Amino acid sequence: MALLRKINQVLLFLLIVTLCGILYKKVHKGTVLKNEADDDSETPEELEDEIPVVICAAAGRMGAAMAAINSIYSNTDANILFYIVGLRNTVSRIRKWIEHSKLREINFKVVEFNPVVLKGKIRPDASRPELLQPLNFVRFYLPLLIHQHEKVIYLDDDVIVQGDIQELYETTLALGHAAAFSDDCDLPLSQDTNRLVGLQNTYMGYLDYRKKTIKDLGISPSTCSFNPGVIVANITEWKHQRITKQLEKWMQKNVEENLYSSSLGGGVATSPMLIVFHGKYSTINPLWHIRHLGWNPDTRYSEHFLQEAKLLHWNGRHKPWDFPSVHNDLWESWFVPDPAGIFKLNHNS
């Protein structure tokens, strides 16, 4: 009897440990992305009419996100729901900026991103440390943000939208595709990439083809890359294909093998996406992603070309709120001053 009682005690202990493990995993997953406003009471009809737009608001460049939001909201009659993502120390500032400015009328949710999910998955890289900031990887975790919507738009913060965002939202995704991006070899003829020295537009610029792991992928180094600064995503398909898990796998492999770095192309956030989505993505109308405006401060484009663009993206080192930069007048027209006076424009040498 004593032996039987001991066996029962051991079984009970194991059961308790198992339940605690399951509970920990659920709680941990739930804290990766935390909605400050947990109001999920919308009706199915309201959800169907909403266009969810995800954009990050980093501490040192929060004015960029506010300008992007202002441009989107001002150029559409659609019902936009902004998911504004920040770290814990910026959540209250995001809300105050919106509530004490002309943006107070927008429909939004502030979401806290917990960088613990990235622990052990990012390889240190001193060449461009800004590309290793936690919010740069929010695009990997879209299903944890969007629980009710099947389709979502993700935008980098250094963009300005000049068209109706509903047009971008209506981008057709082919059957089995979890996302749509802009091909780097599909830029409008008006945008002469020959003037953009060092610009990468193939996989060779992002992946280290000296490494066996990369060679074994069987992807030609001359394959056109794409830019993940503008994404139209199918959340259902993203979950079905376990895209987030695949991206985390390639982040982990880079930590172990140094397969790509920010000294090559667009950094460690772009490279895993190029691998996971290779041959399995739809394309966005090129006018909905006119980019490289932040690449070279000496390269300017015609006013006619810029006016026709639906979305402008200052990807690169030269941001329109800083010096030196180009076409910053287009960006500044959408700038929303910081009520706290912390974020300031720097257009002087």
Side-chain angles (χ1 to χ4, degrees):
M1 288 295 293
L3 178 61
L4 184 60
R5 188 181 300 111
K6 182 170 287 189
I7 291 173
N8 286 336
Q9 289 174 342
V10 170
L11 290 174
L12 180 61
F13 174 75
L14 290 174
L15 179 61
I16 292 172
V17 169
T18 301
L19 290 173
C20 288
I22 293 172
L23 181 61
Y24 170 79
K25 285 183 178 179
K26 286 188 175 182
V27 171
H28 175 70
K29 182 177 180 180
T31 57
V32 171
L33 287 155
K34 176 184 175 184
N35 280 327
E36 190 185 64
D38 290 324
D39 182 13
D40 295 333
S41 59
E42 293 100 334
T43 65
E45 291 78 12
E46 289 173 326
L47 292 174
E48 190 174 328
D49 290 340
E50 282 179 343
I51 296 178
V53 176
V54 176
I55 191 164
C56 296
R61 46 195 283 170
M62 199 172 291
M66 299 303 165
I69 291 168
N70 186 27
S71 71
I72 296 167
Y73 182 72
S74 300
N75 284 307
T76 186
D77 291 325
N79 180 18
I80 310 298
L81 173 58
F82 291 100
Y83 286 82
I84 307 170
V85 187
L87 300 180
R88 176 173 295 179
N89 62 346
T90 62
V91 166
S92 62
R93 187 178 163 209
I94 293 170
R95 183 169 290 281
K96 287 178 182 177
W97 195 323
I98 293 172
E99 292 177 346
H100 294 87
S101 72
K102 64 186 294 184
L103 297 177
R104 65 178 65 90
E105 300 298 324
I106 70 170
N107 184 18
F108 73 100
K109 291 184 179 182
V110 178
V111 181
E112 178 190 328
F113 182 70
N114 189 343
V116 70
V117 71
L118 300 173
K119 187 176 181 180
K121 299 184 180 73
I122 302 178
R123 185 184 184 89
D125 194 320
S127 59
R128 290 196 67 184
E130 74 274 13
L131 295 177
L132 304 180
Q133 296 301 314
L135 294 181
N136 208 28
F137 299 90
V138 164
R139 72 197 86 195
F140 288 13
Y141 298 94
L142 292 179
L144 296 182
L145 278 144
I146 309 296
H147 303 292
Q148 309 136 304
H149 302 274
E150 179 163 338
K151 200 174 185 183
V152 60
I153 294 172
Y154 168 89
L155 299 176
D156 276 354
D157 63 353
D158 51 354
V159 306
I160 289 298
V161 172
Q162 300 185 139
D164 188 336
I165 197 74
Q166 183 152 359
E167 184 181 326
L168 177 62
Y169 184 72
E170 291 172 355
T171 298
T172 300
L173 273 67
L175 186 66
H177 287 178
F181 306 98
S182 296
D183 272 330
D184 285 334
C185 297
D186 194 24
L187 293 172
L189 294 176
S190 303
Q191 195 168 15
D192 183 8
T193 56
N194 293 325
R195 294 185 291 170
L196 302 173
V197 179
L199 179 67
Q200 307 292 344
N201 64 358
T202 67
Y203 275 54
M204 174 66 82
Y206 295 87
L207 308 181
D208 189 346
Y209 276 84
R210 297 171 298 180
K211 302 295 175 67
K212 183 178 184 299
T213 299
I214 297 300
K215 290 180 181 178
D216 289 348
L217 289 170
I219 301 174
S220 169
S222 62
T223 301
C224 277
S225 53
F226 58 80
N227 187 300
V230 176
I231 307 172
V232 181
N234 181 319
I235 298 301
T236 301
E237 195 64 41
W238 191 294
K239 290 177 180 177
H240 176 70
Q241 296 183 29
R242 297 171 64 84
I243 296 294
T244 297
K245 285 293 183 186
Q246 292 186 60
L247 292 168
E248 288 184 324
K249 167 191 165 184
W250 284 102
M251 291 172 73
Q252 189 66 52
K253 280 185 173 291
N254 183 53
V255 171
E256 299 165 358
E257 304 178 46
N258 194 19
L259 302 176
Y260 24 83
S261 75
S262 59
S263 60
L264 290 172
V268 294
T270 298
S271 301
M273 300 196 84
L274 292 178
I275 294 173
V276 172
F277 285 101
H278 174 251
K280 295 182 292 185
Y281 67 91
S282 299
T283 55
I284 291 170
N285 181 332
L287 289 177
W288 268 103
H289 197 175
I290 299 300
R291 49 205 182 276
H292 310 312
L293 299 186
W295 198 265
N296 185 340
D298 298 319
T299 301
R300 300 186 67 88
Y301 300 104
S302 73
E303 293 303 315
H304 176 71
F305 171 65
L306 294 174
Q307 286 171 6
E308 288 203 339
K310 306 284 189 178
L311 181 148
L312 301 174
H313 187 184
W314 280 263
N315 61 311
R317 297 176 185 268
H318 304 284
K319 303 305 183 185
W321 55 87
D322 214 340
F323 181 90
S325 59
V326 294
H327 304 301
N328 50 334
D329 55 318
L330 292 173
W331 181 88
E332 195 169 341
S333 66
W334 298 109
F335 176 59
V336 179
D338 182 0
I342 299 172
F343 185 95
K344 299 180 185 298
L345 302 182
N346 175 26
H347 287 161
N348 298 313
S349 56

